[in-house]
Amino acid sequence: MPQNVQLPKSLEGKTVLVAGAGGFVPSHICEIYLELGAKVIGLDNFITGSRSNVELLSKNSNFSFEEINIIDGLPDFKGIDIDYIYSLASPASPIDFKEIPLEIMRVNSEGTLNLLELAKEKRARFLEASTSEVYGDPEIHPQTEEYVGCVNPIGPRACYDESKRFAEALTMTFYRRYNVDTRIVRIFNTYGPRMRPNDGRVIPNFINQAMNDENITIYGDGTQTRSFCFVTDLAQAIHNVMFSNIHTPFNCGNPDEYSITECAETIIKVLGSKSELSYHPLPEDDPKKRRPNLAKLQAISEYAPVIGFEDGITRTANYFKEMASNS
Ligand code: UDP
């Protein structure tokens, strides 16, 4: 196995703080650490996170939780050693960019600052969950980490793109100025169980429409591309980065690239749906293509996604069905 990454066999006796623990990606990160025997402290204000995700995690006695907004300051951790801090608290769906833009900007600036200050005080390792959105509408394809992006600073996505760019800058500043042991991941499109069914992103929209034989809402002409990663693969990639010793950003995702039309057709086929495609205006600044170059991550760890798209769609649809039957 290449260097650098030494994954721990056990983290008994260690404490991990996860900001945004009720979110769909963070809840899977929490599970990795609970399985390794660590104590996990979750924080969330449930602006987009789910109480049901926290209830699931709370079945493990090593999980504790506090309902707070991290921009208001963090709980008093006096006398508690914290070894790892995950900054995963930001809403991330384009519908959130419309509805709660200031909350997004504040959590990625003030919230991240509070977490970094705590990492400095506790000498904890800190990981910022950034995003492929920092590349904007990319001119380089697939995107490598060296590419500095093509972002519209005043567009409707800027609340997220620019605040995550700021969060990365803040993280690197704490590393350079205070020697805080930081990591950065750039998360590409991710889907899977525990996603909000009404999240507004393409996969939950298409699955719900296909399950109900409703029209599939394609924005634009459907030629734009995304590369979709199943959430457990993504959580593994992030965990690998936490246990590397490299401070600069890593792309995390799955390089299998689909046009949005192909994505719709695959979902219709896998779910045996009678849905038809319907076309709607493309949102402003919608990136035309996106695909991660994973060479940097694969040079330091044995990372390779294991869940294929059709399998992942089936698992996600089963989760949505189960949620609907429980409600
Ligand atoms: N999209 C679509 N129909 C939908 C939702 C999204 O065609 O019902 C498109 C959207 O315009 C974008 C792609 O699917 O080109 C991915 O959108 P999503 O909101 O999932 O995430 P993004 O990658 O844009 O942040």
Side-chain angles (χ1 to χ4, degrees), residues 138-160:
E139 304 126 310
I140 301 280
H141 192 74
Q143 292 77 58
T144 53
E145 290 86 350
E146 292 78 37
Y147 176 52
V148 294
C150 173
V151 172
N152 175 0
I154 57 165
R157 303 174 84 97
C159 60
Y160 186 56

Side-chain angles (χ1 to χ4, degrees), residues 24 43 54 78 83 102 105 110 127-128 150 161 163 172 185-186 206 235 255-256 259 277-278 288 301:
F24 120 88
L43 307 177
V54 168
K78 219 189 230 152
D83 302 283
L102 285 171
M105 296 180 91
E110 296 163 71
L127 184 142
E128 172 61 26
C150 173
D161 302 4
S163 67
M172 287 307 289
V185 294
R186 293 181 178 154
F206 286 6
D256 288 347
S259 73
L277 307 186
S278 69
K288 285 183 266 316
S301 70

Side-chain angles (χ1 to χ4, degrees), residues 108-126:
N108 288 322
S109 51
E110 296 163 71
T112 302
L113 180 63
N114 286 338
L115 294 173
L116 279 161
E117 294 283 7
L118 182 70
K120 179 168 163 249
E121 179 196 325
K122 297 286 184 187
R123 297 178 184 279
R125 190 177 298 171
F126 171 94

Side-chain angles (χ1 to χ4, degrees), residues 244-266:
S244 78
N245 57 11
I246 295 173
H247 305 284
T248 51
F250 282 89
N251 290 336
C252 289
N254 182 326
D256 288 347
E257 185 178 1
Y258 292 83
S259 73
I260 294 305
T261 301
E262 283 168 346
C263 168
E265 286 166 348
T266 306

